[in-house]
Amino acid sequence: EADIYQTPRYLVIGTGKKITLECSQTMGHDKMYWYQQDPGMELHLIHYSYGVNSTEKGDLSSESTVSRIRTEHFPLTLESARPSHTSQYLCASARSGVYNEQFFGPGTRLTVL
Amino acid sequence: GDSVTQMEGPVTLSEEAFLTINCTYTATGYPSLFWYVQYPGEGLQLLLKATKADDKGSNKGFEATYRKETTSFHLEKGSVQVSDSAVYFCALILLNFGNEKLTFGTGTRLTIIP
């Protein structure tokens, strides 16, 4: 059973607000990822980290930022939310090593009005 | 670049029908292959995996065989249930140190009707 948590599960906010989506894992995984999932279901990698103080941009350009100050915590921040940021955001983590099996959190569904 | 092509959905089947969801890939090396499943309102869960040619991954009655000659990893189940209704994602990863990212297909929505 994977132990990766995301809060909030659902968020509805107004344009221009600053928001932080939380992601935590208790498995001691070095690698963590953020994906954006559009209504057509396709997943886009927007950020990843291979360990503390390591962050990289993913394949899809995003206005969000991330930080990795602790191994277990990988928050994603939007400084000024816009309707175009409305989406499902999925966090994942993985051990370093052979298979890189990723464990996913339940997701945060964000709606920006 | 690396890519995964999945059978387009949605797929609707009757309970106890045979299921196949096609998946083919393009990769520059020798990837590991995965099927993930996403139930309504949840994140993705690993369903099965295969790490080398001719490996068969299996779980919960689902199977997929890594076919290097046809670059395929088709998902099959002999008798589906209503509880199998979900979105299924095929994915690959190349084990290059420092560049280990999953590449996902676009997902196939499966609906099983009683």
Short mmCIF file of all heavy atoms in Angstrom, two decimals, chain A residues 9-10 31 33 35 37 40-43 45 48 50 59 88 90 97-107, chain B residues 32 34 36 38 41-46 49 51 87 89 93 95 98-102 104-109:
data_model
loop_
_atom_site.label_atom_id
_atom_site.label_comp_id
_atom_site.label_asym_id
_atom_site.label_seq_id
_atom_site.Cartn_x
_atom_site.Cartn_y
_atom_site.Cartn_z
N ARG A 9 -7.95 17.81 -1.57
CA ARG A 9 -8.40 16.96 -2.67
C ARG A 9 -9.14 17.78 -3.72
O ARG A 9 -9.06 17.50 -4.91
CB ARG A 9 -9.33 15.86 -2.14
CG ARG A 9 -8.66 14.82 -1.28
CD ARG A 9 -7.70 13.95 -2.10
NE ARG A 9 -8.29 13.45 -3.33
CZ ARG A 9 -9.03 12.35 -3.41
NH1 ARG A 9 -9.30 11.65 -2.33
NH2 ARG A 9 -9.51 11.96 -4.58
N TYR A 10 -9.85 18.78 -3.26
CA TYR A 10 -10.60 19.66 -4.16
C TYR A 10 -10.39 21.10 -3.70
O TYR A 10 -10.37 21.38 -2.51
CB TYR A 10 -12.10 19.34 -4.14
CG TYR A 10 -12.41 17.90 -4.49
CD1 TYR A 10 -12.51 16.94 -3.49
CD2 TYR A 10 -12.59 17.52 -5.81
CE1 TYR A 10 -12.77 15.63 -3.81
CE2 TYR A 10 -12.85 16.20 -6.14
CZ TYR A 10 -12.94 15.26 -5.13
OH TYR A 10 -13.19 13.96 -5.45
N LYS A 31 12.81 10.20 -5.28
CA LYS A 31 12.26 10.86 -6.47
C LYS A 31 10.80 11.23 -6.26
O LYS A 31 10.01 10.43 -5.75
CB LYS A 31 12.38 9.94 -7.67
CG LYS A 31 13.81 9.58 -8.00
CD LYS A 31 13.88 8.61 -9.15
CE LYS A 31 15.31 8.24 -9.45
NZ LYS A 31 15.40 7.27 -10.54
N TYR A 33 7.43 13.63 -8.23
CA TYR A 33 6.98 14.15 -9.52
C TYR A 33 5.64 14.86 -9.36
O TYR A 33 4.82 14.48 -8.52
CB TYR A 33 6.78 12.99 -10.52
CG TYR A 33 7.94 12.05 -10.67
CD1 TYR A 33 8.14 11.01 -9.77
CD2 TYR A 33 8.84 12.19 -11.72
CE1 TYR A 33 9.21 10.14 -9.91
CE2 TYR A 33 9.91 11.31 -11.87
CZ TYR A 33 10.09 10.30 -10.95
OH TYR A 33 11.15 9.44 -11.09
N TYR A 35 2.40 15.83 -11.95
CA TYR A 35 1.78 15.72 -13.26
C TYR A 35 0.52 16.57 -13.30
O TYR A 35 -0.19 16.70 -12.31
CB TYR A 35 1.36 14.27 -13.55
CG TYR A 35 2.50 13.30 -13.71
CD1 TYR A 35 3.03 12.64 -12.60
CD2 TYR A 35 3.04 13.02 -14.96
CE1 TYR A 35 4.07 11.74 -12.73
CE2 TYR A 35 4.07 12.10 -15.10
CZ TYR A 35 4.58 11.48 -13.98
OH TYR A 35 5.61 10.58 -14.12
N GLN A 37 -3.08 16.62 -15.26
CA GLN A 37 -3.92 15.74 -16.07
C GLN A 37 -5.07 16.54 -16.62
O GLN A 37 -5.90 17.08 -15.88
CB GLN A 37 -4.44 14.57 -15.24
CG GLN A 37 -5.21 13.54 -16.06
CD GLN A 37 -5.57 12.30 -15.28
OE1 GLN A 37 -5.75 12.35 -14.07
NE2 GLN A 37 -5.68 11.18 -15.97
N GLY A 40 -9.06 15.42 -21.00
CA GLY A 40 -8.96 14.29 -21.91
C GLY A 40 -8.15 13.15 -21.35
O GLY A 40 -7.88 12.17 -22.05
N MET A 41 -7.74 13.25 -20.11
CA MET A 41 -7.05 12.22 -19.32
C MET A 41 -5.53 12.21 -19.51
O MET A 41 -4.85 11.61 -18.72
CB MET A 41 -7.57 10.81 -19.63
CG MET A 41 -9.05 10.64 -19.43
SD MET A 41 -9.56 8.97 -19.90
CE MET A 41 -9.06 8.90 -21.60
N GLU A 42 -5.01 12.85 -20.57
CA GLU A 42 -3.58 12.76 -20.81
C GLU A 42 -2.78 13.37 -19.66
O GLU A 42 -3.17 14.39 -19.09
CB GLU A 42 -3.23 13.48 -22.12
CG GLU A 42 -1.86 13.17 -22.63
CD GLU A 42 -1.68 13.55 -24.08
OE1 GLU A 42 -2.67 13.93 -24.73
OE2 GLU A 42 -0.55 13.46 -24.56
N LEU A 43 -1.67 12.73 -19.31
CA LEU A 43 -0.82 13.16 -18.21
C LEU A 43 0.39 13.91 -18.76
O LEU A 43 1.03 13.45 -19.70
CB LEU A 43 -0.31 11.94 -17.44
CG LEU A 43 -1.34 11.21 -16.60
CD1 LEU A 43 -0.99 9.76 -16.49
CD2 LEU A 43 -1.45 11.83 -15.22
N LEU A 45 4.01 15.68 -17.43
CA LEU A 45 4.97 15.91 -16.35
C LEU A 45 5.33 17.38 -16.31
O LEU A 45 5.78 17.94 -17.32
CB LEU A 45 6.22 15.07 -16.58
CG LEU A 45 7.32 15.20 -15.54
CD1 LEU A 45 6.88 14.60 -14.21
CD2 LEU A 45 8.60 14.52 -16.03
N TYR A 48 9.82 17.66 -11.48
CA TYR A 48 10.30 16.47 -10.79
C TYR A 48 11.51 16.81 -9.94
O TYR A 48 12.13 17.87 -10.12
CB TYR A 48 10.60 15.33 -11.76
CG TYR A 48 11.66 15.59 -12.80
CD1 TYR A 48 12.96 15.11 -12.63
CD2 TYR A 48 11.36 16.27 -13.98
CE1 TYR A 48 13.93 15.32 -13.60
CE2 TYR A 48 12.33 16.49 -14.94
CZ TYR A 48 13.60 16.01 -14.76
OH TYR A 48 14.55 16.22 -15.72
N TYR A 50 14.91 14.75 -7.83
CA TYR A 50 15.64 13.52 -7.55
C TYR A 50 16.17 13.47 -6.12
O TYR A 50 16.88 12.55 -5.75
CB TYR A 50 16.79 13.33 -8.54
CG TYR A 50 16.32 12.92 -9.92
CD1 TYR A 50 17.10 13.20 -11.05
CD2 TYR A 50 15.13 12.24 -10.10
CE1 TYR A 50 16.67 12.82 -12.31
CE2 TYR A 50 14.70 11.87 -11.35
CZ TYR A 50 15.47 12.16 -12.45
OH TYR A 50 15.05 11.78 -13.70
N ASP A 59 8.19 18.11 -18.93
CA ASP A 59 8.01 18.21 -20.38
C ASP A 59 7.02 19.30 -20.76
O ASP A 59 7.10 19.84 -21.86
CB ASP A 59 7.52 16.86 -20.92
CG ASP A 59 8.48 15.74 -20.59
OD1 ASP A 59 9.70 15.98 -20.64
OD2 ASP A 59 8.01 14.64 -20.26
N GLN A 88 -6.54 18.70 -12.98
CA GLN A 88 -6.24 17.73 -11.92
C GLN A 88 -4.71 17.66 -11.80
O GLN A 88 -4.02 17.54 -12.81
CB GLN A 88 -6.79 16.36 -12.31
CG GLN A 88 -6.29 15.19 -11.49
CD GLN A 88 -7.26 14.78 -10.39
OE1 GLN A 88 -7.87 15.63 -9.76
NE2 GLN A 88 -7.40 13.49 -10.18
N LEU A 90 -1.56 15.59 -10.07
CA LEU A 90 -1.19 14.32 -9.45
C LEU A 90 0.27 14.36 -9.02
O LEU A 90 1.14 14.74 -9.81
CB LEU A 90 -1.39 13.16 -10.42
CG LEU A 90 -2.83 12.86 -10.83
CD1 LEU A 90 -2.86 11.84 -11.95
CD2 LEU A 90 -3.63 12.35 -9.65
N GLY A 97 16.62 3.49 -8.28
CA GLY A 97 16.91 2.08 -8.52
C GLY A 97 16.34 1.60 -9.82
O GLY A 97 16.05 2.35 -10.73
N VAL A 98 16.10 0.29 -9.89
CA VAL A 98 15.93 -0.36 -11.18
C VAL A 98 14.62 -0.03 -11.87
O VAL A 98 14.59 0.45 -12.98
CB VAL A 98 16.05 -1.88 -11.01
CG1 VAL A 98 15.93 -2.55 -12.36
CG2 VAL A 98 17.38 -2.23 -10.37
N TYR A 99 13.51 -0.27 -11.24
CA TYR A 99 12.24 -0.19 -11.96
C TYR A 99 11.62 1.20 -11.96
O TYR A 99 10.78 1.48 -12.78
CB TYR A 99 11.22 -1.16 -11.37
CG TYR A 99 11.63 -2.58 -11.49
CD1 TYR A 99 11.63 -3.41 -10.38
CD2 TYR A 99 12.04 -3.12 -12.70
CE1 TYR A 99 12.01 -4.73 -10.49
CE2 TYR A 99 12.42 -4.43 -12.81
CZ TYR A 99 12.41 -5.23 -11.71
OH TYR A 99 12.79 -6.54 -11.80
N ASN A 100 11.99 1.99 -11.02
CA ASN A 100 11.41 3.33 -10.90
C ASN A 100 9.89 3.28 -10.90
O ASN A 100 9.24 4.12 -11.50
CB ASN A 100 11.89 4.24 -12.03
CG ASN A 100 11.66 5.71 -11.71
OD1 ASN A 100 11.78 6.11 -10.58
ND2 ASN A 100 11.33 6.50 -12.71
N GLU A 101 9.31 2.26 -10.27
CA GLU A 101 7.86 2.21 -10.15
C GLU A 101 7.39 3.43 -9.39
O GLU A 101 7.86 3.71 -8.30
CB GLU A 101 7.46 0.94 -9.40
CG GLU A 101 5.99 0.85 -9.07
CD GLU A 101 5.69 -0.38 -8.23
OE1 GLU A 101 6.49 -1.33 -8.27
OE2 GLU A 101 4.67 -0.37 -7.53
N GLN A 102 6.46 4.16 -9.97
CA GLN A 102 5.96 5.37 -9.34
C GLN A 102 4.66 5.09 -8.60
O GLN A 102 3.76 4.42 -9.12
CB GLN A 102 5.73 6.46 -10.39
CG GLN A 102 7.03 6.97 -10.99
CD GLN A 102 6.85 8.17 -11.89
OE1 GLN A 102 5.83 8.83 -11.88
NE2 GLN A 102 7.88 8.46 -12.67
N PHE A 103 4.57 5.61 -7.39
CA PHE A 103 3.36 5.53 -6.58
C PHE A 103 2.69 6.90 -6.61
O PHE A 103 3.33 7.92 -6.37
CB PHE A 103 3.70 5.16 -5.13
CG PHE A 103 4.27 3.79 -4.99
CD1 PHE A 103 5.63 3.57 -5.07
CD2 PHE A 103 3.43 2.70 -4.81
CE1 PHE A 103 6.16 2.31 -4.95
CE2 PHE A 103 3.96 1.42 -4.67
CZ PHE A 103 5.32 1.23 -4.75
N PHE A 104 1.38 6.89 -6.88
CA PHE A 104 0.66 8.13 -7.07
C PHE A 104 -0.22 8.47 -5.88
O PHE A 104 -0.79 7.58 -5.24
CB PHE A 104 -0.22 8.05 -8.32
CG PHE A 104 0.54 8.21 -9.60
CD1 PHE A 104 1.27 7.17 -10.13
CD2 PHE A 104 0.53 9.42 -10.28
CE1 PHE A 104 2.00 7.32 -11.31
CE2 PHE A 104 1.25 9.58 -11.45
CZ PHE A 104 1.98 8.53 -11.97
N GLY A 105 -0.33 9.77 -5.62
CA GLY A 105 -1.32 10.24 -4.66
C GLY A 105 -2.69 10.31 -5.31
O GLY A 105 -2.84 10.08 -6.52
N PRO A 106 -3.72 10.66 -4.52
CA PRO A 106 -5.09 10.66 -5.04
C PRO A 106 -5.42 11.85 -5.93
O PRO A 106 -6.45 11.85 -6.60
CB PRO A 106 -5.93 10.71 -3.76
CG PRO A 106 -5.06 11.38 -2.76
CD PRO A 106 -3.67 10.96 -3.08
N GLY A 107 -4.54 12.86 -5.94
CA GLY A 107 -4.77 14.00 -6.81
C GLY A 107 -5.46 15.17 -6.13
O GLY A 107 -6.14 15.01 -5.11
N SER B 32 11.60 -0.41 -19.76
CA SER B 32 10.68 -1.18 -18.93
C SER B 32 9.27 -0.67 -19.25
O SER B 32 9.09 0.52 -19.55
CB SER B 32 10.97 -0.98 -17.45
OG SER B 32 12.21 -1.55 -17.12
N PHE B 34 4.94 -0.62 -18.40
CA PHE B 34 3.99 -0.64 -17.30
C PHE B 34 2.57 -0.45 -17.81
O PHE B 34 2.34 0.20 -18.84
CB PHE B 34 4.27 0.52 -16.32
CG PHE B 34 5.67 0.56 -15.78
CD1 PHE B 34 6.69 1.18 -16.49
CD2 PHE B 34 5.96 -0.01 -14.56
CE1 PHE B 34 7.98 1.22 -15.98
CE2 PHE B 34 7.24 0.03 -14.04
CZ PHE B 34 8.25 0.65 -14.76
N TYR B 36 -0.76 1.18 -15.88
CA TYR B 36 -1.35 1.81 -14.70
C TYR B 36 -2.86 1.88 -14.89
O TYR B 36 -3.36 1.99 -16.01
CB TYR B 36 -0.81 3.23 -14.51
CG TYR B 36 0.55 3.31 -13.86
CD1 TYR B 36 1.71 3.17 -14.61
CD2 TYR B 36 0.67 3.54 -12.49
CE1 TYR B 36 2.96 3.27 -14.02
CE2 TYR B 36 1.92 3.63 -11.90
CZ TYR B 36 3.05 3.50 -12.67
OH TYR B 36 4.29 3.59 -12.07
N GLN B 38 -6.47 3.90 -13.36
CA GLN B 38 -7.00 5.02 -12.58
C GLN B 38 -8.49 4.83 -12.42
O GLN B 38 -9.26 4.94 -13.39
CB GLN B 38 -6.70 6.35 -13.28
CG GLN B 38 -7.12 7.57 -12.47
CD GLN B 38 -6.73 8.88 -13.14
OE1 GLN B 38 -6.65 8.96 -14.36
NE2 GLN B 38 -6.48 9.91 -12.35
N GLY B 41 -12.04 9.22 -9.58
CA GLY B 41 -11.75 10.03 -8.41
C GLY B 41 -10.47 9.69 -7.69
O GLY B 41 -10.21 10.22 -6.61
N GLU B 42 -9.65 8.84 -8.27
CA GLU B 42 -8.42 8.42 -7.59
C GLU B 42 -7.19 8.70 -8.44
O GLU B 42 -7.28 9.08 -9.60
CB GLU B 42 -8.49 6.93 -7.28
CG GLU B 42 -9.62 6.56 -6.34
CD GLU B 42 -9.61 5.08 -6.00
OE1 GLU B 42 -8.61 4.40 -6.29
OE2 GLU B 42 -10.61 4.61 -5.44
N GLY B 43 -6.02 8.52 -7.82
CA GLY B 43 -4.77 8.61 -8.56
C GLY B 43 -4.49 7.31 -9.30
O GLY B 43 -5.30 6.39 -9.30
N LEU B 44 -3.33 7.25 -9.94
CA LEU B 44 -2.97 6.06 -10.71
C LEU B 44 -2.40 4.98 -9.78
O LEU B 44 -1.70 5.27 -8.82
CB LEU B 44 -1.93 6.40 -11.77
CG LEU B 44 -2.43 6.95 -13.08
CD1 LEU B 44 -3.01 8.33 -12.91
CD2 LEU B 44 -1.32 6.97 -14.12
N GLN B 45 -2.69 3.72 -10.12
CA GLN B 45 -2.11 2.58 -9.41
C GLN B 45 -1.40 1.71 -10.43
O GLN B 45 -1.92 1.50 -11.53
CB GLN B 45 -3.20 1.74 -8.75
CG GLN B 45 -4.06 2.45 -7.76
CD GLN B 45 -5.19 1.56 -7.29
OE1 GLN B 45 -5.11 0.33 -7.34
NE2 GLN B 45 -6.26 2.18 -6.82
N LEU B 46 -0.23 1.20 -10.04
CA LEU B 46 0.46 0.28 -10.93
C LEU B 46 -0.33 -1.02 -11.01
O LEU B 46 -0.66 -1.63 -10.00
CB LEU B 46 1.86 -0.01 -10.41
CG LEU B 46 2.67 -0.96 -11.26
CD1 LEU B 46 2.99 -0.33 -12.62
CD2 LEU B 46 3.96 -1.35 -10.55
N LYS B 49 3.78 -4.87 -14.66
CA LYS B 49 4.98 -4.34 -15.31
C LYS B 49 5.78 -5.49 -15.92
O LYS B 49 5.59 -6.66 -15.56
CB LYS B 49 5.85 -3.61 -14.29
CG LYS B 49 6.36 -4.50 -13.18
CD LYS B 49 7.04 -3.68 -12.10
CE LYS B 49 7.50 -4.59 -10.96
NZ LYS B 49 7.94 -3.83 -9.78
N THR B 51 10.01 -5.93 -17.48
CA THR B 51 11.27 -5.20 -17.59
C THR B 51 12.16 -5.66 -18.73
O THR B 51 13.14 -4.98 -19.05
CB THR B 51 12.06 -5.30 -16.28
OG1 THR B 51 12.31 -6.68 -16.01
CG2 THR B 51 11.29 -4.68 -15.14
N VAL B 87 -9.80 4.01 -16.15
CA VAL B 87 -8.95 4.45 -17.26
C VAL B 87 -7.62 3.72 -17.14
O VAL B 87 -7.03 3.66 -16.05
CB VAL B 87 -8.74 5.97 -17.22
CG1 VAL B 87 -7.84 6.40 -18.38
CG2 VAL B 87 -10.07 6.70 -17.29
N PHE B 89 -3.64 3.23 -18.46
CA PHE B 89 -2.52 3.93 -19.10
C PHE B 89 -1.36 2.97 -19.31
O PHE B 89 -0.93 2.30 -18.38
CB PHE B 89 -2.01 5.08 -18.21
CG PHE B 89 -2.96 6.22 -18.05
CD1 PHE B 89 -3.90 6.23 -17.03
CD2 PHE B 89 -2.92 7.29 -18.93
CE1 PHE B 89 -4.77 7.29 -16.87
CE2 PHE B 89 -3.79 8.36 -18.78
CZ PHE B 89 -4.73 8.36 -17.75
N ILE B 93 9.58 3.42 -19.40
CA ILE B 93 10.68 4.17 -18.85
C ILE B 93 11.98 3.56 -19.34
O ILE B 93 12.12 2.36 -19.45
CB ILE B 93 10.65 4.21 -17.31
CG1 ILE B 93 11.66 5.22 -16.79
CG2 ILE B 93 10.89 2.83 -16.72
CD1 ILE B 93 11.44 5.60 -15.37
N LEU B 95 15.91 3.27 -18.45
CA LEU B 95 16.70 3.35 -17.23
C LEU B 95 18.06 3.99 -17.50
O LEU B 95 19.09 3.36 -17.40
CB LEU B 95 16.86 1.97 -16.62
CG LEU B 95 15.54 1.30 -16.26
CD1 LEU B 95 15.78 -0.08 -15.72
CD2 LEU B 95 14.78 2.14 -15.25
N GLY B 98 19.81 9.52 -14.19
CA GLY B 98 19.64 10.96 -14.24
C GLY B 98 18.56 11.41 -15.20
O GLY B 98 18.28 12.59 -15.30
N ASN B 99 17.95 10.48 -15.93
CA ASN B 99 16.91 10.88 -16.87
C ASN B 99 15.80 9.84 -16.86
O ASN B 99 15.36 9.37 -17.90
CB ASN B 99 17.50 11.02 -18.27
CG ASN B 99 16.51 11.64 -19.23
OD1 ASN B 99 15.66 12.42 -18.84
ND2 ASN B 99 16.62 11.28 -20.49
N GLU B 100 15.32 9.48 -15.69
CA GLU B 100 14.36 8.39 -15.57
C GLU B 100 12.96 8.95 -15.40
O GLU B 100 12.51 9.20 -14.30
CB GLU B 100 14.73 7.49 -14.40
CG GLU B 100 16.06 6.81 -14.61
CD GLU B 100 16.66 6.29 -13.33
OE1 GLU B 100 16.04 6.45 -12.26
OE2 GLU B 100 17.75 5.72 -13.38
N LYS B 101 12.30 9.18 -16.52
CA LYS B 101 10.94 9.71 -16.48
C LYS B 101 10.01 8.76 -17.20
O LYS B 101 10.34 8.23 -18.25
CB LYS B 101 10.89 11.08 -17.13
CG LYS B 101 11.66 12.16 -16.37
CD LYS B 101 11.54 13.51 -17.06
CE LYS B 101 12.36 13.57 -18.30
NZ LYS B 101 12.27 14.89 -18.96
N LEU B 102 8.83 8.59 -16.64
CA LEU B 102 7.81 7.78 -17.29
C LEU B 102 7.24 8.53 -18.49
O LEU B 102 6.96 9.72 -18.40
CB LEU B 102 6.68 7.47 -16.33
CG LEU B 102 6.81 6.26 -15.41
CD1 LEU B 102 5.68 6.25 -14.41
CD2 LEU B 102 6.82 4.98 -16.21
N PHE B 104 3.90 8.32 -20.72
CA PHE B 104 2.58 7.71 -20.69
C PHE B 104 1.91 7.77 -22.06
O PHE B 104 2.12 8.72 -22.83
CB PHE B 104 1.67 8.46 -19.71
CG PHE B 104 1.94 8.16 -18.27
CD1 PHE B 104 2.76 8.99 -17.53
CD2 PHE B 104 1.35 7.07 -17.64
CE1 PHE B 104 3.00 8.73 -16.18
CE2 PHE B 104 1.59 6.80 -16.31
CZ PHE B 104 2.42 7.64 -15.58
N GLY B 105 1.06 6.79 -22.32
CA GLY B 105 0.10 6.90 -23.41
C GLY B 105 -1.04 7.81 -22.98
O GLY B 105 -1.08 8.31 -21.85
N THR B 106 -1.97 8.01 -23.88
CA THR B 106 -3.05 8.98 -23.63
C THR B 106 -4.18 8.42 -22.78
O THR B 106 -5.07 9.16 -22.39
CB THR B 106 -3.64 9.47 -24.96
OG1 THR B 106 -4.02 8.33 -25.74
CG2 THR B 106 -2.63 10.29 -25.74
N GLY B 107 -4.14 7.13 -22.45
CA GLY B 107 -5.17 6.54 -21.61
C GLY B 107 -6.34 5.99 -22.43
O GLY B 107 -6.70 6.56 -23.47
N THR B 108 -6.92 4.90 -21.94
CA THR B 108 -8.10 4.29 -22.56
C THR B 108 -9.16 4.11 -21.49
O THR B 108 -8.92 3.43 -20.49
CB THR B 108 -7.76 2.92 -23.18
OG1 THR B 108 -6.73 3.07 -24.14
CG2 THR B 108 -9.00 2.31 -23.83
N ARG B 109 -10.30 4.75 -21.70
CA ARG B 109 -11.39 4.62 -20.72
C ARG B 109 -12.18 3.36 -21.02
O ARG B 109 -12.66 3.17 -22.14
CB ARG B 109 -12.31 5.84 -20.77
CG ARG B 109 -13.40 5.82 -19.69
CD ARG B 109 -14.29 7.05 -19.76
NE ARG B 109 -13.53 8.27 -19.56
CZ ARG B 109 -13.20 8.76 -18.37
NH1 ARG B 109 -13.54 8.12 -17.28
NH2 ARG B 109 -12.53 9.90 -18.29
#
